[in-house]
Amino acid sequence: MARRRQAGIEAIAEVNIIPLADVVTTLIVVFLMTMPALLWSGIQVNATRAAKSREVVRQENSADDKLTVLVTAESIQVDGRHVTLDELGTLTRSRMAGAGDRLVIVVPDDAVRLGNVVTVMDVLKQNGAEGLALLNRAKEQ
């Protein structure tokens, strides 16, 4: 039996790099799209420990003290007075207008949902609060 030779057909000796280029391009695009999410740190938190573990925070505010907002599951309280989110925004704007130090102390209750605390913090930041401090309420014994 004689072998037949096909005319005009040659062996391909080159490497096809198009699939490799597609994969590399896809990886670069995915990396560039996820990079901002990796670098974004969100809210900057300076976590410090109190000098005493059972330090009591007084909520008696005078005219020059900081604004203290108590967030419970049922309500929002400013200086012992129940307020709504709209009233909180108005009150924050008025208190922060003449204040030199625009720090607001947020005291969330243990039973409050995180989303409610974040909503209150958003309202405070939108209405002039430059710094927010989170304090933990001491449990009554």
Side-chain angles (χ1 to χ4, degrees):
M1 289 198 136
R3 273 188 161 180
R4 280 199 295 171
R5 207 173 216 207
Q6 295 180 350
I9 297 179
E10 298 177 13
I12 300 175
E14 298 175 7
V15 176
N16 188 2
I17 63 166
I18 293 176
L20 176 65
D22 289 344
V23 169
V24 170
T25 304
T26 304
L27 289 175
I28 289 173
V29 169
V30 168
F31 178 74
L32 290 176
M33 290 178 71
T34 58
M35 183 55 72
L38 295 174
L39 295 179
W40 183 68
S41 62
I43 299 172
Q44 181 180 359
V45 176
N46 296 329
T48 57
R49 297 275 181 196
K52 299 177 184 175
S53 61
R54 299 204 179 251
E55 187 173 345
V56 178
V57 178
R58 294 183 184 172
Q59 295 186 14
E60 300 170 0
N61 290 348
S62 63
D64 59 336
D65 281 345
K66 307 208 177 354
L67 181 66
T68 302
V69 179
L70 175 65
V71 183
T72 63
E74 298 85 26
S75 67
I76 303 168
Q77 297 178 16
V78 177
D79 299 335
R81 185 172 60 110
H82 295 281
V83 295
T84 63
L85 280 176
D86 294 332
E87 293 171 346
L88 177 65
T90 306
L91 183 64
T92 304
R93 257 193 314 272
S94 65
R95 291 279 296 265
M96 295 296 133
D101 186 15
R102 296 182 176 196
L103 177 69
V104 177
I105 300 170
V106 180
V107 185
D109 193 27
D110 288 339
V112 71
R113 295 178 58 96
L114 177 64
N116 296 347
V117 176
V118 171
T119 302
V120 168
M121 292 171 65
D122 283 342
V123 168
L124 293 171
K125 287 293 270 185
Q126 290 172 359
N127 290 291
E130 290 180 359
L132 297 171
L134 285 172
L135 293 180
N136 193 10
R137 289 180 66 184
K139 292 184 181 179
E140 297 177 12
Q141 295 180 355

